[in-house]
Amino acid sequence: MSDQEKAYNVNMLNLVREGLTALSDAQAEKRSLQNPVSETHFLGNWIITALKEKRFDIILAGDLNIWLQESRTLGKNANFKQRFEKIERVYTQICELEYKNLTQFILEDILTELDTEGWLIETESKVTDKFKLSSSGENSLVICAEVYDRAFSDTDGVLESPLSVFIRHGDQAFIDKMYSHGYLVFGSTNRSIVKRHNRYILRPFNHAKKLAILPTLVD
């Protein structure tokens, strides 16, 4: 695990907090109106300034550039305030649990929960390009047995390396389930080798060099 991966979560939390504080101060000083259009416009400009002035660690440059492009293409629909608030809630919890790592025992309990909710769970097969899962259209989850065994420590069962999880239909439900236990789920740019399933990554200590897929939050 690199130092950048360890630092990402705190840096991201600081970024969104600074953005929201800047917006709140601007609204208090009547430099920005309290409506979605004005708020998105203000934070879009704040993102541009943050990039120009290199205010944040280089590890966040990718996120800032993506948001910059979204500001230009989506306009008011970029909804930066709501997004920043959601990231703040999620990453506040995750940073408070900085030393909490996923274990094989906890993941097995989560998979048992999904099984009782009607999911089709497959973790005992070798997964290759030729792997096929017969299902009746229910939510399904696949983890390669060999990868599963290697990802966790033989001594204390903690997650030591990124673990690929393949999901069909219940993508957001899985993300929300993991978050309810204190764990993040990350997207993958690698091609999924399980037909009709999307590939996601679970990472040691929730550390990565990119933003996790955000869970559904209930007020």
Side-chain angles (χ1 to χ4, degrees):
M1 187 187 308
S2 69
D3 290 339
Q4 279 194 325
E5 288 175 343
K6 293 179 182 179
Y8 180 91
N9 293 352
V10 172
N11 282 321
M12 175 54 71
L13 181 58
N14 289 338
L15 185 156
V16 295
R17 282 178 173 173
E18 287 193 29
L20 291 170
T21 297
L23 174 62
S24 178
D25 290 346
Q27 290 174 332
E29 297 166 4
K30 308 300 182 183
R31 291 184 287 109
S32 178
L33 299 177
Q34 295 186 13
N35 63 69
V37 175
S38 296
E39 289 166 347
T40 297
H41 178 71
F42 177 88
L43 287 174
N45 287 333
W46 181 86
I47 289 167
I48 293 172
T49 302
L51 273 168
K52 286 182 178 179
E53 297 181 354
K54 299 181 179 178
R55 290 181 185 174
F56 300 100
D57 192 286
I58 189 66
I59 196 174
L60 301 176
D63 298 290
L64 287 167
N65 276 297
I66 289 172
W67 293 339
L68 174 60
Q69 292 303 316
E70 290 176 346
S71 176
R72 292 169 174 169
T73 58
L74 299 178
K76 64 180 182 180
N77 293 323
N79 293 323
F80 288 127
K81 181 184 178 183
Q82 292 83 353
R83 197 184 313 188
F84 277 26
E85 288 174 337
K86 190 172 187 179
I87 293 171
E88 182 183 29
R89 285 181 61 185
V90 170
Y91 275 79
T92 295
Q93 174 176 317
I94 294 303
C95 287
E96 289 173 352
L97 301 173
E98 179 182 2
Y99 299 105
K100 180 180 180 180
N101 195 10
L102 183 64
T103 69
Q104 189 167 5
F105 313 108
I106 293 173
L107 183 54
E108 287 175 355
D109 286 343
I110 293 172
L111 297 183
T112 298
E113 288 182 27
L114 294 175
D115 180 66
T116 61
E117 293 169 9
W119 283 58
L120 177 61
I121 307 295
E122 176 54 69
T123 61
E124 298 180 356
S125 300
K126 182 178 180 179
V127 176
T128 67
D129 285 336
K130 297 181 180 180
F131 178 83
K132 293 183 180 180
L133 183 69
S134 298
S135 70
S136 301
E138 65 267 49
N139 294 345
S140 55
L141 178 150
V142 177
I143 302 175
C144 176
E146 293 181 358
V147 175
Y148 197 5
D149 289 339
R150 290 198 306 267
F152 293 93
S153 167
D154 291 332
T155 55
D156 53 10
V158 298
L159 186 64
E160 293 185 315
S161 60
L163 177 64
S164 293
V165 181
F166 302 92
I167 303 289
R168 183 183 184 189
H169 294 316
D171 302 53
Q172 192 63 48
F174 175 71
I175 292 162
D176 294 346
K177 175 73 73 174
M178 294 301 301
Y179 180 69
S180 71
H181 288 269
Y183 304 103
L184 297 175
V185 178
F186 297 88
S188 173
T189 56
N190 294 330
R191 181 181 65 86
S192 175
I193 58 175
V194 181
K195 190 175 183 180
R196 298 191 181 93
H197 287 65
N198 295 318
R199 184 175 194 157
Y200 298 99
I201 308 294
L202 304 179
R203 301 185 62 88
F205 295 100
N206 293 313
H207 288 155
K209 292 190 288 185
K210 65 178 181 179
L211 191 66
I213 302 174
L214 298 177
T216 304
L217 296 179
V218 179
D219 294 327

